[in-house]
Amino acid sequence: MRAIYKIAKTELQMLFYSPIAWLLLLCFVFQTVFFYTGMLEGFVLDTENTGRTYWCSLRLFIRGYGGGSGLWPSVVNILYLYIPLLTMGVISKELSSGSIKLLYSSPISNAHIVLGKFLAMVAYAFLLTLVLFVYVLFAWCMIDNFEWAWVLTGLLGIFLLACTYMAVGIFVSSLTSYQVISAVGTFIVLMLLGMVSGWGQQYDFVREITYWLGMNGRVSTFIDGMLCSEDLIYFPTVIALFLMLTIIRLHAIRQKQKFTITLYKNCAVIAMVCLIAFVSSRPALLVYVDTTATKQNTLTPVSQEIVDKLDGGLTITSYVNLLDQRYGNYAYPHFIMHNRKVSQQFTRFKPETKLKVVYYYADPNEGMPGRPSAWQQARRLCEVYEMDSTMFLSRAEVDKMADLASQGYRFVREAVRENGQREWLYDFTGRGLLEEGATSVALKRMVMEVPKIGFVKGHRERKMYGDVPYDMGHLFSSKWNGGSMVNQGFDVVEVTLDQDALKDVDLLWIADMRTELTPEEEAALEKYIEQGGNLVFMGEPSHRETQNKVLNKFFGLELTPLLVGPDVRFKGSLTANVLAAVPTQRSKELMYPMKNSYRIAHENCAGIEEVENKGFKVEALVSTDTTGPVWTELETTDFVDDTVKFNPTVGEISKVFNTVVGLTRQVGNREQRIMVTGDADCLSNNEFVITRGVSAANVNLLTGCALWMTSGELPLDMRRPDMKDNSVSVSMAWYRVFKAGFKFGLPILLLGIGVFIWFRRRGR
């Protein structure tokens, strides 16, 4: 150890006596400090102008301000420019000057030489990290509730990356006596380490080794605030690999060994690293620590509870169609390891999960006139992508494995338990991600009973299927919309109003009933309500006479005539029969999705009035905007060409109207919940096809309603605690002082130290 220390000390002296070390350090400080101070200035300005900013730690160090990169990703992107210039002469200068012979003649081993020089490089890497730590320390003093654990985790990743670069540079330096060639060679090796993860992906065992060896994305795990045992093992292992290769290289020069012996030793070291790579990447052996305050890298408690109930084995198979338009996002073979990476959030809590990828070809439109067969299309694509066509299953073969016809032969995953239970897992991002929300909902169906929505039919109501503009298939039954009720975990079925059909219904949904109920249907509905069943009744002013009979009898409510407002509120962009209503404070208390909702769009909406007390507590959930007059329109019917005017002489009424109300009462030991709306169009397909500029929150009304009706059971509550680092406690005047210190004081200090050491060196 003493020999290693002496070599490290000598190497550090030589490094800091040369101008290159100080020049690189100054360049590093200049690059990082300008980015850092620019970001901080934005936070200080936001705090002074608005009194508040948001996510300061995240935006300063991780994700960036205004769409750019944070400090840590920026440092990672420039770090590889510095290391080759530092390490290019570590051993090559010894070889070129002949001083290596003096080291060989001294009583020290090759390991002492390599480790001593590496320790000196680690000290320089620590100095670079110390500069970055000064930024962290200053941010911690300025930002309230600073995410120090998350930020320091990213800094640890940068330090390990720098040390790994140093080890690579030392190895390349031992291969040549020319320093320029050493620097270029280091760049090349670092580039190869970034590319190796894509090599040999078509071979099972090889893909795991090469993917593990790849350096791309390793630091990102640290920067994202996650400590993973695989990544913590990766950096020391790769460092040891290149240091061992360097020792073997010096031993070969010193002993003049045969090339075959050196090759054998190198292969043995590489084989040992491959074994470590394979073992350390086994899901059952992985250990994770999430250092973020919000635990954003970890499944939410509700998802963990669902996964814990999945007893026995679980297999998740991804089915990829070569003829799918989005095939490039799931292309063979790179998607196989990507699939494992994006699944880690779940396999972390259920490591015995098996992940499979099945590639096939199928054309749903095969047989159309003039259309080539699926096999012809697949063979042509295989020629373009230079793939073996025999690895793709045919439509007939894959149909025996899963009912992909029901999924339109699009990309989909299927989860299968040991007991035979099956559920589809959808990718709504189009990037092959295993989203927590969609996956947890599907897995919940395997372990728990889910609420059933009964969509009433038989009276010309809106339909829960299809894409007809005034129906509601987009938000209720569409399997390709992540926000639809079927993808939020509900069973949605059409029902008629008879007692047998309503037995298993947890939530009855009546959307724009247009014809009157028969006595039998009315009796069945009455029994359902008397027994405490939850209900959503969506009315429309054009059918208010029929609907008011039901509302009045059971709830003491009535729908008003059509509500309108003056066109001028929207500057002519919308007609007067389109209203932008406002969620009430009570709705935000009952339904958390409504907290971020500012406007609910209504087209052809009625107000809701309580005319008789039927034992329910009636509360307004959405009301018309108080900034402009709204009234019941009894004259105008053409809202495109005519101009609406308030005319009280014909009975038109102007006031604040409730457009959505909630009714509650106690039935036995549970609270019965009823929601009535004066508009059915607000959740129709048409509302989400046409962009009005005021309807973005309508889906929140549906989500909030579902949560309230199921007492928070569905949709799954996957909220995380809010980040608290939302203010900067320094004035702009003081910030300018600190900024000058960072931009000019820190570089001048380093320059002064460098000049002092240089003069001292000359004096000796």
Side-chain angles (χ1 to χ4, degrees):
M1 290 298 296
R2 189 172 182 180
I4 295 174
Y5 171 75
K6 286 185 176 181
I7 293 173
K9 181 179 179 181
T10 302
E11 189 68 29
L12 275 175
Q13 288 176 341
M14 295 176 63
L15 183 65
F16 284 104
Y17 286 154
S18 67
I20 185 67
W22 293 103
L23 179 61
L24 291 176
L25 184 59
L26 282 172
C27 290
F28 181 79
V29 169
F30 273 119
Q31 275 192 289
T32 55
V33 80
F34 273 85
F35 178 85
Y36 175 75
T37 54
M39 293 280 290
L40 269 181
E41 186 170 347
F43 297 143
V44 176
L45 285 172
D46 286 347
T47 303
E48 285 206 346
N49 294 334
T50 65
R52 189 175 182 271
T53 183
Y54 65 96
W55 303 346
C56 296
S57 309
L58 175 68
R59 296 161 69 208
L60 178 59
F61 290 97
I62 316 300
R63 292 185 185 172
Y65 186 91
S69 297
L71 181 60
W72 291 165
S74 299
V75 170
V76 170
N77 290 334
I78 65 173
L79 193 60
Y80 78 97
L81 299 173
Y82 294 92
I83 306 304
L85 299 177
L86 279 169
T87 60
M88 63 183 183
V90 172
I91 295 179
S92 60
K93 67 184 178 185
E94 309 280 5
L95 297 174
S96 62
S97 65
S99 59
I100 190 71
K101 296 178 181 179
L102 295 176
L103 291 174
Y104 286 162
S105 63
S106 59
I108 56 175
S109 66
N110 295 319
H112 289 150
I113 296 173
V114 173
L115 292 177
K117 290 180 175 293
F118 175 69
L119 185 60
M121 294 297 101
V122 169
Y124 192 90
F126 181 77
L127 180 60
L128 295 178
T129 307
L130 189 61
V131 171
L132 298 176
F133 180 73
V134 172
Y135 302 156
V136 175
L137 192 62
F138 183 70
W140 175 63
C141 296
M142 286 183 58
I143 299 173
D144 297 332
N145 301 303
F146 182 67
E147 288 262 11
W148 61 269
W150 185 353
V151 173
L152 289 181
T153 301
L155 185 60
L156 172 62
I158 291 174
F159 174 72
L160 292 175
L161 180 67
C163 292
T164 305
Y165 284 176
M166 297 290 189
V168 173
I170 290 173
F171 167 68
V172 178
S173 180
S174 70
L175 300 178
T176 178
S177 59
Y178 298 98
Q179 296 188 33
V180 175
I181 296 178
S182 172
V184 174
T186 303
F187 280 117
I188 293 174
V189 174
L190 293 179
M191 179 186 67
L192 294 177
L193 281 174
M195 297 170 56
V196 69
S197 60
W199 296 352
Q201 292 294 293
Q202 62 270 34
Y203 307 110
D204 292 340
F205 180 75
V206 175
R207 82 163 62 96
E208 297 199 22
I209 301 301
T210 57
Y211 189 86
W212 188 90
L213 287 173
M215 197 173 293
N216 281 348
R218 291 290 180 182
V219 181
S220 299
T221 307
F222 289 87
I223 293 176
D224 289 338
M226 175 69 85
L227 290 174
C228 178
S229 59
E230 182 181 5
D231 298 308
L232 287 171
I233 292 173
Y234 170 82
F235 286 108
T237 302
V238 174
I239 289 171
L241 167 65
F242 283 99
L243 293 183
M244 286 295 296
L245 294 178
T246 307
I247 292 171
I248 293 171
R249 166 64 178 167
L250 293 182
H251 192 71
I253 297 174
R254 190 172 191 173
Q255 302 296 330
K256 294 182 171 53
Q257 284 182 342
K258 293 182 179 180
F259 174 75
T260 53
I261 297 176
T262 303
L263 180 62
Y264 169 77
K265 291 180 179 180
N266 288 336
C267 291
V269 171
I270 294 173
M272 180 61 68
V273 170
C274 291
L275 179 62
I276 294 173
F278 182 79
V279 173
S280 66
S281 61
R282 297 305 88 197
L285 300 178
L286 296 179
V287 179
Y288 302 86
V289 176
D290 191 345
T291 60
T292 62
T294 60
K295 303 302 177 187
Q296 68 166 23
N297 302 302
T298 307
L299 292 180
T300 54
V302 64
S303 296
Q304 293 183 42
E305 180 184 357
I306 292 171
V307 174
D308 287 342
K309 294 181 179 179
L310 282 170
D311 299 328
L314 178 69
T315 302
I316 299 178
T317 305
S318 301
Y319 291 95
V320 183
N321 185 1
L322 176 62
L323 305 184
D324 190 338
Q325 292 181 347
R326 298 187 299 176
Y327 169 76
N329 296 334
Y330 321 107
Y332 177 85
H334 302 287
F335 175 71
I336 297 175
M337 293 306 297
H338 175 73
N339 182 47
R340 295 189 184 185
K341 185 70 175 178
V342 300
S343 302
Q344 278 188 341
Q345 201 174 27
F346 281 90
T347 56
R348 169 185 173 183
F349 294 96
K350 193 171 179 61
E352 67 272 20
T353 303
K354 297 179 181 178
L355 300 174
K356 298 180 180 179
V357 182
V358 174
Y359 285 91
Y360 69 99
Y361 62 91
D363 183 2
N365 300 315
E366 188 174 14
M368 294 179 62
R371 191 177 184 88
S373 67
W375 166 241
Q376 290 173 326
Q377 297 178 59
R379 186 172 59 183
R380 184 166 61 248
L381 287 174
C382 287
E383 292 174 356
V384 172
Y385 291 114
E386 298 181 350
M387 296 184 298
D388 182 6
S389 59
T390 60
M391 60 164 284
F392 291 91
L393 301 180
S394 67
R395 179 173 179 171
E397 291 172 320
V398 78
D399 280 344
K400 296 177 182 178
M401 303 175 63
D403 181 20
L404 295 176
S406 65
Q407 307 304 313
Y409 294 102
R410 298 171 63 173
F411 173 81
V412 70
R413 291 183 175 94
E414 187 179 35
V416 182
R417 295 182 69 186
E418 280 184 351
N419 60 11
Q421 283 183 301
R422 295 171 176 263
E423 285 292 338
W424 297 110
L425 310 179
Y426 297 105
D427 171 30
F428 301 112
T429 67
R431 303 193 303 272
L433 302 182
L434 195 65
E435 293 181 287
E436 178 183 351
T439 304
S440 296
V441 164
L443 297 179
K444 181 173 181 175
R445 290 179 176 273
M446 291 182 165
V447 295
M448 307 175 189
E449 290 188 7
V450 297
K452 179 184 291 186
I453 298 177
F455 218 84
V456 175
K457 65 176 182 178
H459 312 89
R460 297 170 54 204
E461 293 93 346
R462 308 291 178 98
K463 295 181 177 60
M464 55 167 278
Y465 297 110
D467 55 2
V468 175
Y470 290 100
D471 287 334
M472 300 180 172
H474 181 75
L475 286 182
F476 280 88
S477 61
S478 174
K479 65 180 65 175
W480 306 115
N481 172 26
S484 69
M485 289 294 97
V486 293
N487 287 325
Q488 293 296 328
F490 290 92
D491 285 336
V492 185
V493 296
E494 287 187 325
V495 297
T496 56
L497 286 176
D498 62 75
Q499 294 182 8
D500 291 335
L502 301 183
K503 284 182 180 179
D504 300 326
V505 171
D506 298 289
L507 173 58
L508 195 63
W509 204 290
I510 303 177
D512 193 12
M513 182 186 70
R514 303 185 184 190
T515 60
E516 295 186 8
L517 304 179
T518 65
E520 293 78 14
E521 291 174 332
E522 190 171 300
L525 179 60
E526 183 175 10
K527 184 175 181 180
Y528 175 84
I529 295 173
E530 287 179 351
Q531 291 177 344
N534 290 347
L535 169 70
V536 174
F537 190 100
M538 304 190 75
E540 275 286 318
S542 56
H543 309 114
R544 56 189 291 266
E545 291 80 7
T546 300
Q547 295 164 8
N548 277 345
K549 292 179 181 179
V550 175
L551 291 175
N552 202 325
K553 177 177 180 179
F554 296 117
F555 311 119
L557 302 178
E558 281 189 358
L559 300 178
T560 70
L562 176 68
L563 302 180
V564 298
D567 294 345
V568 69
R569 291 188 305 157
F570 301 112
K571 299 181 181 180
S573 62
L574 297 175
T575 54
N577 60 324
V578 178
L579 304 178
V582 181
T584 64
Q585 183 60 37
R586 182 55 175 161
S587 71
K588 296 178 181 181
E589 295 171 358
L590 294 175
M591 303 174 286
Y592 71 80
M594 300 294 283
K595 290 182 179 179
N596 298 321
S597 304
Y598 300 101
R599 294 288 187 272
I600 302 295
H602 291 300
E603 181 179 15
N604 297 326
C605 180
I608 304 168
E609 304 282 350
E610 184 178 10
V611 295
E612 185 180 354
N613 188 341
K614 294 287 186 176
F616 290 93
K617 179 182 179 182
V618 181
E619 297 179 286
L621 301 180
V622 180
S623 300
T624 55
D625 198 345
T626 58
T627 59
V630 174
W631 65 89
T632 55
E633 181 59 41
L634 300 178
E635 295 181 311
T636 305
T637 57
D638 184 355
F639 300 104
V640 177
D641 297 321
D642 290 350
T643 301
V644 296
K645 293 182 180 180
F646 175 54
N647 186 2
T649 60
V650 297
E652 294 179 351
I653 301 173
S654 176
K655 65 175 185 177
V656 173
F657 293 90
N658 297 327
T659 59
V660 180
V661 298
L663 294 79
T664 56
R665 70 176 179 181
Q666 201 68 25
V667 179
N669 58 355
R670 64 183 296 270
E671 184 180 65
Q672 183 181 23
R673 297 175 179 181
I674 310 291
M675 181 178 287
V676 179
T677 73
D679 170 34
D681 293 314
C682 62
L683 300 182
S684 67
N685 297 331
N686 196 48
E687 189 59 48
F688 299 91
V689 174
I690 301 175
T691 303
R692 307 185 189 282
V694 293
S695 61
N698 281 28
V699 70
N700 293 343
L701 176 63
L702 175 62
T703 305
C705 171
L707 275 166
W708 185 51
M709 291 290 176
T710 60
S711 300
E713 182 179 354
L714 286 177
L716 297 178
D717 185 358
M718 298 195 174
R719 291 175 296 170
R720 300 180 186 275
D722 294 331
M723 297 181 67
K724 299 179 180 179
D725 53 341
N726 298 324
S727 61
V728 177
S729 56
V730 65
S731 66
M732 179 56 71
W734 274 108
Y735 171 74
R736 290 193 179 98
V737 175
F738 296 138
K739 180 180 178 180
F742 274 115
K743 280 191 172 183
F744 305 106
L746 185 58
I748 291 173
L749 175 63
L750 293 175
L751 183 62
I753 295 174
V755 171
F756 172 77
I757 293 176
W758 182 68
F759 274 111
R760 186 177 181 185
R761 171 73 170 172
R762 288 196 61 184
R764 291 183 177 180

